[in-house]
Amino acid sequence: MRYFITLGLLAWAAGVFAQDPADIFHKTVDIDQVNRISFDVYPNDHVEYRSWPGDDILIETTVKIENAKQDILDFYMRQNRYVLKPEVTGDAMSLVSFDKTRRTVKGTEGAAYESVNIVVYLPDVFSPSADGLYTRQGQ
């Protein structure tokens, strides 16, 4: 009997301390032939731009879904829901959200809330020239 009570308390504690699914992933984008970079990101995503001494763009995306299971987040990750895909035209590149018509995530008890934070590390040879536009300096 004491075994079942202990097992029940452990199961309850595991459920109480369970966290909402979250994931962080990184992507690098080669920009050797690019002189201008623009961004077209899903409006509800929070984006931060930082300079760094690298040669490529590094994109760090943090996704957290509240009121949903890890399987749902894994499914959306496989569907590239949070990816910024490069589109190159001449010497200009645009990083565009892969999924710009995100449907509401259905969680365990109704709609789930997703939080997407993107940090874009741009090489220090690029500087902002307009809203969401970065140009290579020295060209």
Side-chain angles (χ1 to χ4, degrees):
M1 181 68 172
R2 189 179 345 190
Y3 173 74
F4 291 115
I5 292 173
T6 304
L7 187 59
L9 287 173
L10 285 174
W12 175 80
V16 169
F17 293 110
Q19 296 181 356
D20 291 318
D23 202 354
I24 298 174
F25 66 95
H26 298 87
K27 177 180 180 174
T28 58
V29 179
D30 182 37
I31 54 170
D32 287 340
Q33 305 298 320
V34 174
N35 292 320
R36 292 181 317 239
I37 303 170
S38 62
F39 296 88
D40 184 9
V41 180
Y42 182 72
N44 292 342
D45 291 352
H46 176 265
V47 183
E48 182 180 344
Y49 304 99
R50 296 183 185 171
S51 181
W52 78 310
D55 294 331
D56 296 330
I57 294 176
L58 174 63
I59 303 170
E60 177 185 82
T61 306
T62 304
V63 180
K64 182 175 181 183
I65 298 182
E66 297 176 7
N67 194 29
K69 297 188 181 213
Q70 182 69 39
D71 296 340
I72 293 173
L73 178 58
D74 294 342
F75 172 77
Y76 283 131
M77 297 289 282
R78 286 190 304 273
Q79 299 299 315
N80 295 325
R81 182 177 175 107
Y82 311 106
V83 169
L84 294 180
K85 65 178 178 176
E87 296 177 353
V88 179
T89 305
D91 71 341
M93 174 186 287
S94 183
L95 289 168
V96 180
S97 290
F98 187 81
D99 184 355
K100 293 179 72 177
T101 57
R102 293 185 191 160
R103 294 183 178 90
T104 304
V105 177
K106 299 293 183 182
T108 54
E109 297 178 17
Y113 173 74
E114 64 184 331
S115 169
V116 180
N117 295 312
I118 302 170
V119 180
V120 179
Y121 294 92
L122 293 154
D124 52 11
V125 296
F126 284 86
S127 63
S129 60
D131 188 33
L133 180 65
Y134 289 80
T135 56
R136 186 183 299 264
Q137 298 304 306
Q139 295 296 329

